[in-house]
Amino acid sequence: MLFRSVSQSRYATSLLVLIVGLFAGYLFNPQVGILSSLILALLPRFIGDSQNNLKDTPLATLFTLSIALFYFAIRRRKLIYFLLAGISAGLTYSTKINGLLIFPTICLFYLLERKITNTFKYFLKDVLFGFVSIFGFLGAILTVWPYYRFETIKRFQETLYTFQKHEWNEYVLYLGAPYRDWE
């Protein structure tokens, strides 16, 4: 797990506000970037999660960073962006398995982008760039998560199986009363 303490999660919260502001400012204009950061920073759920949720806020931070890097990679077609995006995606997966949702999102964006610009002539180069991203993804996972260094495919299958069957049967405190999670 990449983020192990509440203070590290709080740093990720600040970084997420910054990434959202910069990316929205780049895509639209600086006023939209500032407004996006303000709205995100003032959301009650976001404030609460930043204080006590060790995985979801860092996951959102790395997921957003990965989306931004893949956006620049696909738009600018530079190898370094694909490598950095793959590394960021690997760190996202290392934080929480939900990081795998980056890939359907990116594939959909890629297909829409190529259909809009109608430039499939670079498809083979894009496949090479995709392999660079996968290399960065796997390299990041193997670097920060020692569990995957041996029998990597088996460990990945174990992780998927574990999280498919995972049940959380604990109590949740809601308005001063404890409830089971399914209630």
Side-chain angles (χ1 to χ4, degrees):
M1 184 170 78
L2 191 61
F3 293 92
R4 295 193 170 115
S5 70
V6 174
S7 64
Q8 289 174 343
S9 180
R10 290 179 186 154
Y11 293 133
T13 302
S14 302
L15 187 59
L16 177 58
V17 171
L18 178 66
I19 292 169
V20 166
L22 291 174
F23 193 47
Y26 175 82
L27 291 176
F28 302 104
N29 61 49
Q31 293 84 6
V32 171
I34 292 169
L35 185 62
S36 299
S37 291
L38 266 173
I39 290 172
L40 177 63
L42 296 175
L43 285 173
R45 174 74 188 257
F46 183 72
I47 293 169
D49 280 352
S50 71
Q51 300 301 310
N52 61 17
N53 196 339
L54 292 181
K55 287 188 176 180
D56 288 349
T57 304
L59 173 76
T61 302
L62 290 167
F63 195 96
T64 304
L65 179 63
S66 297
I67 294 295
L69 288 170
F70 273 115
Y71 172 85
F72 290 123
I74 291 170
R75 285 284 170 101
R76 295 183 180 174
R77 305 182 45 72
K78 301 245 183 198
L79 189 64
I80 189 69
Y81 287 117
F82 281 95
L83 180 61
L84 291 173
I87 291 169
S88 180
L91 294 175
T92 305
Y93 174 79
S94 296
T95 303
K96 199 170 176 185
I97 194 170
N98 300 12
L100 288 177
L101 294 174
I102 289 171
F103 292 107
T105 307
I106 295 307
C107 289
L108 181 63
F109 174 71
Y110 172 79
L111 291 173
L112 290 172
E113 176 71 13
R114 290 299 171 242
K115 184 167 179 137
I116 290 169
T117 59
N118 203 13
T119 56
F120 277 105
K121 65 182 179 179
Y122 298 112
F123 182 73
L124 290 177
K125 192 173 183 182
D126 289 344
V127 169
L128 173 67
F129 286 160
F131 280 120
V132 169
S133 289
I134 291 171
F135 176 75
F137 175 79
L138 293 174
I141 292 171
L142 294 175
T143 301
V144 300
W145 205 346
Y147 176 73
Y148 277 96
R149 291 186 188 152
F150 304 99
E151 300 179 354
T152 305
I153 295 173
K154 181 182 173 190
R155 303 286 190 213
F156 181 74
Q157 290 171 337
E158 286 175 2
T159 303
L160 288 177
Y161 179 76
T162 299
F163 282 96
Q164 279 178 336
K165 304 296 180 191
H166 179 70
E167 289 185 22
W168 191 71
N169 292 319
E170 299 296 325
Y171 287 98
V172 176
L173 187 63
Y174 181 70
L175 297 177
Y179 294 94
R180 282 291 196 184
D181 61 333
W182 63 84
E183 295 175 333

